[in-house]
Amino acid sequence: MPGDLAKTDSEASSLSQSSPPRSPRRQMYYVQSPSRDSHDGEKTTNSFNSTPVLSPTHSHSNSSLGPLSSRESSSTCLSKHHGSRKPRTNKQSWKEFDAIEEEALLDGEAAHHALHRRRCYFLSFLVGFFVLFTTFSLILWGASRPQKPKITMKSISFNEFVVQAGADFSGVSTEMVSMNCTVKLTYRNTATFFGVHVTSTPLHLSYSQLTVATGSIHKFYQSRKSQRALIVMMEGSHIPLYGGGASLASLNGAPTQPVPLTLDFMVRSRAYVLGKLVKPKFYKRIQCWVTMDPKKMSKAISLKNKCSYS
């Protein structure tokens, strides 16, 4: 019996020596999935590395190797996972850059097209304005052309007509005439929407194509739908007649026969309908054939039906 107890104790001691001591309570490890940010992943990996490991005395235990191997495998997976995400992130960034560059090109092209359209609109506006303005000017010009001024010769009166012998500036002897007369006429502006500026060439009263008296009409302005009476004084002094005076009979300086005379001048009228852009001009040449009668001196001689207007 004692022998059995000793055997039992020896077996127990041998079993206690052969069997490893009971390991302490296992620590639990939590594997955290990597976050979206690579820095978070590095922090997670660092947190796993900072987890205390089992002492070397327990390295032969399968249970103690299990958590260590799982931690290393998780770290390896995390590193692989982050390594596999980097190329995909770069590719995505290049795609985003290409998309931004394409949008910039599209925006630049759209701005260029918008500028081109504005230029086209501006040119179209200029052309349209020029066409409309030209059309409007032509309409005004066409409407103003028929509204010509009207000139009417009224009368002429001879106040003096003297024929006498004399000599010209070179000393040649010839008959010479001195005279003066008064011409009356009316000027009427028939235009309904513009006034006119009126000038005239000198009035010439001639005998046998020799001018024996001259006069002038002073420049004036005539408003629309109005008229005025004009009186022009004409005179000539010691006008040589040369060969023309041979047929001119006189007694005591006064002609004894009627003397045919011709009155000639031109009236110029200009209107400014649209500034200086539309300015119609009206020219009227007037010729009158009149006879100076010595018996009707200082009396008004009607010029009705004795003048031509062209």
Side-chain angles (χ1 to χ4, degrees):
M1 191 67 180
D4 293 335
L5 291 172
K7 184 178 179 179
T8 303
D9 294 336
S10 62
E11 289 178 356
S13 61
S14 63
L15 288 172
S16 61
Q17 293 177 357
S18 61
S19 61
R22 181 177 295 178
S23 61
R25 186 176 181 179
R26 297 181 181 178
Q27 297 182 0
M28 296 183 68
Y29 295 89
Y30 298 91
V31 179
Q32 183 178 1
S33 62
S35 64
R36 295 182 180 178
D37 193 354
S38 60
H39 297 289
D40 295 340
E42 291 177 359
K43 290 179 181 180
T44 306
T45 306
N46 293 335
S47 65
F48 281 124
N49 291 332
S50 64
T51 304
V53 297
L54 295 177
S55 61
T57 56
H58 300 284
S59 61
H60 62 275
S61 175
N62 293 332
S63 62
S64 63
L65 292 176
L68 181 60
S69 63
S70 63
R71 185 176 70 252
E72 293 176 352
S73 64
S74 63
S75 300
T76 304
C77 290
L78 288 174
S79 63
K80 289 182 179 181
H81 179 69
H82 287 291
S84 63
R85 283 188 63 184
K86 288 181 180 180
R88 185 168 57 195
T89 304
N90 292 335
K91 185 175 181 181
Q92 185 178 3
S93 64
W94 278 108
K95 288 182 177 180
E96 293 176 356
F97 178 76
D98 292 339
I100 294 173
E101 185 176 4
E102 185 177 359
E103 290 179 358
L105 291 175
L106 291 176
D107 293 339
E109 186 177 358
H112 177 71
H113 287 310
L115 180 61
H116 182 68
R117 285 196 300 270
R118 285 195 294 270
R119 289 178 179 176
C120 292
Y121 293 155
F122 182 71
L123 291 177
S124 300
F125 172 77
L126 286 181
V127 173
F129 177 78
F130 178 77
V131 171
L132 290 177
F133 186 78
T134 303
T135 305
F136 180 69
S137 301
L138 290 175
I139 292 174
L140 288 179
W141 181 81
S144 64
R145 291 303 296 172
Q147 304 184 33
K148 298 179 180 180
K150 186 177 181 180
I151 301 172
T152 304
M153 301 300 297
K154 293 296 187 178
S155 65
I156 183 172
S157 60
F158 296 94
N159 303 317
E160 181 183 10
F161 196 99
V162 177
V163 180
Q164 59 186 2
D168 62 3
F169 64 92
S170 63
V172 177
S173 298
T174 182
E175 296 290 334
M176 305 187 77
V177 174
S178 296
M179 65 163 298
N180 65 73
C181 62
T182 304
V183 178
K184 295 181 179 181
L185 67 152
T186 58
Y187 183 95
R188 182 185 179 191
N189 181 14
T190 61
T192 57
F193 60 93
F194 60 86
V196 290
H197 298 266
V198 184
T199 59
S200 172
T201 61
L203 282 72
H204 291 276
L205 188 64
S206 59
Y207 168 75
S208 186
Q209 298 183 356
L210 293 174
T211 301
V212 295
T214 59
S216 62
I217 298 176
H218 297 289
K219 180 179 179 180
F220 63 92
Y221 174 80
Q222 192 66 37
S223 60
R224 62 187 183 91
K225 300 291 289 183
S226 64
Q227 70 177 19
R228 71 171 58 191
L230 300 173
I231 300 176
V232 183
M233 300 297 297
M234 302 182 65
E235 63 180 0
S237 178
H238 298 90
I239 307 299
L241 297 178
Y242 300 109
S247 59
L248 186 60
S250 63
L251 179 63
N252 297 326
T256 58
Q257 296 179 356
V259 179
L261 300 171
T262 303
L263 179 64
D264 185 15
F265 67 102
M266 177 180 290
V267 177
R268 293 187 291 255
S269 305
R270 176 177 294 180
Y272 297 94
V273 179
L274 191 63
K276 293 186 177 181
L277 297 176
V278 181
K279 47 182 182 179
K281 302 176 183 179
F282 307 97
Y283 297 95
K284 182 153 294 193
R285 185 177 180 180
I286 302 171
Q287 285 184 315
C288 299
W289 295 270
V290 61
T291 301
M292 192 281 299
D293 191 350
K295 297 178 181 180
K296 296 181 179 179
M297 298 295 293
S298 300
K299 292 183 179 180
I301 301 174
S302 177
L303 296 177
K304 185 178 181 181
N305 300 326
K306 295 180 180 180
C307 299
S308 67
Y309 305 90
S310 59

